[in-house]
Structures are given as structure tokens and as C-alpha cells.
Amino acid sequence: MPAKMLEETLNKKVALLLKDNRILEGALVGYDDYMNLVLDDAQEKSQDVNKKLGVVIVRGSNVVRIVPL
Amino acid sequence: MPAKMLEETLNKKVALLLKDNRILEGALVGYDDYMNLVLDDAQEKSQDVNKKLGVVIVRGSNVVRIVPL
Amino acid sequence: MPAKMLEETLNKKVALLLKDNRILEGALVGYDDYMNLVLDDAQEKSQDVNKKLGVVIVRGSNVVRIVPL
Amino acid sequence: MPAKMLEETLNKKVALLLKDNRILEGALVGYDDYMNLVLDDAQEKSQDVNKKLGVVIVRGSNVVRIVPL
Amino acid sequence: MPAKMLEETLNKKVALLLKDNRILEGALVGYDDYMNLVLDDAQEKSQDVNKKLGVVIVRGSNVVRIVPL
Amino acid sequence: MPAKMLEETLNKKVALLLKDNRILEGALVGYDDYMNLVLDDAQEKSQDVNKKLGVVIVRGSNVVRIVPL
Amino acid sequence: MPAKMLEETLNKKVALLLKDNRILEGALVGYDDYMNLVLDDAQEKSQDVNKKLGVVIVRGSNVVRIVPL
């Protein structure tokens, strides 16, 4: 069912919290069974930082939570 | 049997303790074999913080315990 | 054989030590191959804390040891 | 071959060093492929502490080394 | 789909963020299912450091994110 | 090939570096696919410590490197 | 493809960065699917340290990156 929710979230904007407390926001354009994720139009938003990254491939082992926005 | 308990807890409110000591409360609307979880109407409740998150997909590797409320 | 011991401990009271040094006490009402556990009538007993939790599902990766009481 | 050594150590006294530097001593009465262990007549022996635990089920992921005594 | 994105990124320049906060930049010339990666013409770019490494094989478990440049 | 090297090292003396920086020296008398190891006539040699342990079963997940002496 | 690069690097000198920031240099004479590695004529080169080790078997889980020299 988490996989189904990821499926429904495809192409929508998400906020991604990583284990190192970084927050990435972007459109979820891909995922797999390990929760490896691909974001498009991604930005890193951590405290004062607001850094445009474009496409980002995130390794699932770093993911804490995904919040559809 | 933990899976059975998760099954019985579906659509009920839970408090979720994560490894980073964050507490999330919300309705458990999905889970899988890795304890990846989906909460609905979720809030982060950590010390003074009380942040509404809505739907949250939590990666199982971050979960310490789940308490049905 | 650890599985057999868990089987024999079903419905008995246990003290559970977790990696974050939290101690949970309660009746072991479920377990699986990953040592995911379900406690009933659980309390957290860590230093001064004595917090009633009721049912708790604990993810096995957080477990250090289980002591039947 | 480590499994064979565990087999030979069954019912003998061992000192168990865990990742959190706790030391447990007791009779090894069970083990499995993940090095989940069951000790009987176990005591925790860490610095000044000498705490009787009786039966203890230890999750293998916490084990550093096992020394037959 | 993350695998597909890695496929499309082959032979393109990427910035690689590792768990130890090191940043490696180079051309992605290889990857596998564990996100083990091979970079060519790689440089380490962490704060003041700008160290030429040439070919680098990175073990996937250290990868946080991959940003095609 | 690492397995072949372990095979060739059987019954020879090794220095074992663990993740907690402990060093164990002894004769390698057993190993398996997870790099679980059995040392005989083992000693712990860490800074001032020089502690005789006899037989030691080491869980592979703690091993950093093995140096045949 | 990382495996292919390891294959091509056999018998060549590499610099190995480990998770504990140790650097090992030596000839890569063996590897397996977990990136367990065997170095020959290895030296530890970390800050002031320059310690000859000879043959070293490194457990893959400690490897950050491998740089053919």
C-alpha cells in the first residue's frame, strides 16, 4: 500500500525528509521497491539554504518520509 | 503476528516513534512487509512542534514503534 | 531455537531493551522472523519515566534483548 | 564453521560482548543463522553492574563476539 | 524508474553527494542495482578541497543523491 | 576471491581490526560467507590492553579488515 | 559495470577509502559481489601513519570508494 501511494503521487510535488535532515522538494517522477526516488525540479530547502538541483536521484536508504504537497 | 496487528490497526489512529525521536500521529492507512507505512491526517508532535503534514509515507527502516491510540 | 524461546514466551511478561536504551515491559503477544514484536499492556520504563502505552508494535531492528520476567 | 563452533558451545558458559559494550555472561542454550542467541542464567557484567537476568534472547545484530568460558 | 534515470545519465556529468558529505563530480560511466557507481574524470569537491581522482568506484551504500549536471 | 584468501589463511595467525577499533590477534580456524570468524588462541590488543580470550567467535558485521601475519 | 571496472583493475594499484577515513593503498588482487576486497603489498596511509600491512582482506561494508592509481 505504500507502493500504491507512491504510484498515486507520481508527477505530483512532494517534500522529502532525508536522514541527514535535508529537505528536498520536487515532483516525484520515479521510484522503485527500495524507495529509491527520482525528483524533477528539485530544490534543497534546509534552514537558510534554498538550492535548485533540477533532477535528483535519491537512494532509498536515506529517506525518512515523503509528504505529498 | 505483528503484521496481523498492523492489519487490525488499519484506519485507526496511531502514534509512531521514529529513530530520530520524531513522533508522528495519524490514521494508519497503509503498510507493507518492511513496515513502510502510510499515515493520513498526520501531525508531527515533537516537543513544542505540532506540524500538520496530511498524508505521509514513512520508510520502515526509521520506525521504532507503533502505538495504536 | 531463539524462535522456539519466543514461542514459549508468548503471553508472558517480558522486559524489552531497545537500541535507544528505552525499556519496554509488557506481555509478548506476537513476534515474527525479524523479531518484530507486539506487546500488550506495555509500559515504557526508562529512568524516571513510567509511561503506559497499551499495545505496542516494535520493529525488530531496534531490539537488543528480550528478558522473560 | 562459526555455526559449528556455536553448536559445540551449546550448554556451555559464554561471555557475550554487544555493540553497546554491554557484556552478558550465561549458558548458551540456543542460536540461529542470524546469531540470535538465547542465554540461560545470564548476568549483565558491565563495569560496576552485575545484574541477574535469567533467560535472555539477544538479537544477533547486536553481537560483536562470543567467547566460550 | 530510478534505474532508467541512471541509464539516461550514462556518460553525462553528475554531482554525487555521499553520506560523509563528500561531493564527487565526474562522468557517470557505470552503475549497478545497488547503486554502486563508476565515475570517470572525477574530482572531490568538498569545501576548499578540489582533488582530482580520475576513475572512482563508489560503493552504493554511501550514496545520498545523484544530480545530473 | 576474498573467500579463497580466507581459505588459504586457515590455521594461520591473523590480526583482525573491528569497527569499534578493537584489534584481535589469533589463529583463524573458521569463517563463513558473512565473514563470521572463529579465532583460536585469541588476544585483544588495543592500546595498553592485552587480554587473552582463547576461542572467539566474531560476528562478521563488525569486521573491518583481516591481515594474515 | 562497477564489477567490470573492478575486473579491469585486478593486479593494479588502488587507493581505498574506508568509512573510518582510513586509506589503504595496495594492489587489488581479489574482490567479490559484496565488494569484499583483497589487497597485496598494502599500506595504511592516514595522516602521519604509513603502516605496511602486506596482504589485507577488507570487508566490503566498510568501503567508500576505490580509486585505481
Side-chain angles (χ1 to χ4, degrees), chain A residues 32 36 38 55 57-58, chain E residues 1-12 14 16 28-37 63 65-68:
Chain A
D32 64 21
N36 297 321
V38 186
V55 171
I57 303 164
V58 177
Chain E
M1 171 81 170
K4 184 164 155 279
M5 185 56 70
L6 284 170
E7 187 63 33
E8 290 174 12
T9 307
L10 271 182
N11 300 313
K12 294 185 183 143
V14 297
L16 192 61
L28 181 70
V29 294
Y31 69 92
D32 63 21
D33 287 353
Y34 304 101
M35 265 199 211
N36 297 322
L37 305 172
V63 173
R65 71 181 182 213
I66 305 163
V67 177

Side-chain angles (χ1 to χ4, degrees), chain B residues 23-64:
Chain B
I23 292 172
L24 298 180
E25 288 189 10
L28 180 71
V29 294
Y31 69 91
D32 64 21
D33 287 354
Y34 304 101
M35 266 200 212
N36 297 323
L37 304 172
V38 186
L39 298 190
D40 198 2
D41 289 320
Q43 307 188 44
E44 185 179 337
K45 291 199 161 180
S46 306
Q47 297 182 255
D48 322 309
V49 187
N50 199 331
K51 195 171 146 187
K52 297 207 173 190
L53 295 171
V55 171
V56 184
I57 303 164
V58 177
R59 198 172 190 266
S61 54
N62 302 286
V63 173
V64 176

Side-chain angles (χ1 to χ4, degrees), chain F residues 13 25-27 29 39-44 52-56:
Chain F
K13 199 176 170 187
E25 288 189 11
V29 293
L39 298 190
D40 198 1
D41 289 319
Q43 306 189 45
E44 184 179 338
K52 296 207 172 188
L53 296 171
V55 171
V56 185

Side-chain angles (χ1 to χ4, degrees), chain C residues 15 17 23 65 67, chain D residues 22-25 41-46 48-54 56:
Chain C
L17 175 65
I23 293 172
R65 71 180 183 213
V67 178
Chain D
R22 282 184 178 91
I23 293 171
L24 298 180
E25 288 189 10
D41 290 319
Q43 307 189 44
E44 184 179 338
K45 291 198 161 181
S46 304
D48 323 309
V49 187
N50 200 331
K51 196 171 145 186
K52 296 207 174 190
L53 296 171
V56 184

Side-chain angles (χ1 to χ4, degrees), chain D:
Chain D
M1 172 80 172
K4 183 164 156 280
M5 184 58 69
L6 283 170
E7 187 63 33
E8 290 174 13
T9 307
L10 271 181
N11 299 313
K12 294 186 183 141
K13 198 176 172 188
V14 298
L16 193 61
L17 175 65
L18 301 184
K19 282 196 180 160
D20 58 10
N21 277 310
R22 282 184 178 91
I23 293 171
L24 298 180
E25 288 189 10
L28 181 71
V29 294
Y31 69 91
D32 64 21
D33 287 354
Y34 304 102
M35 266 199 212
N36 297 323
L37 305 173
V38 186
L39 298 190
D40 197 2
D41 290 319
Q43 307 189 44
E44 184 179 338
K45 291 198 161 181
S46 304
Q47 297 182 256
D48 323 309
V49 187
N50 200 331
K51 196 171 145 186
K52 296 207 174 190
L53 296 171
V55 171
V56 184
I57 304 164
V58 177
R59 196 171 192 266
S61 54
N62 302 286
V63 173
V64 176
R65 71 181 182 212
I66 306 163
V67 177
L69 296 181

Side-chain angles (χ1 to χ4, degrees), chain C residues 19-67:
Chain C
K19 281 193 180 163
D20 58 10
N21 277 309
R22 282 183 178 91
I23 293 172
L24 298 180
E25 288 188 11
L28 181 71
V29 294
Y31 70 92
D32 64 20
D33 287 354
Y34 304 101
M35 267 200 212
N36 297 322
L37 304 173
V38 186
L39 298 190
D40 197 2
D41 290 320
Q43 306 188 45
E44 184 179 338
K45 291 199 161 180
S46 305
Q47 297 182 255
D48 323 309
V49 187
N50 200 330
K51 196 171 145 186
K52 296 206 173 189
L53 296 171
V55 171
V56 185
I57 303 164
V58 177
R59 197 172 191 264
S61 54
N62 302 287
V63 173
V64 176
R65 71 180 183 213
I66 306 163
V67 178

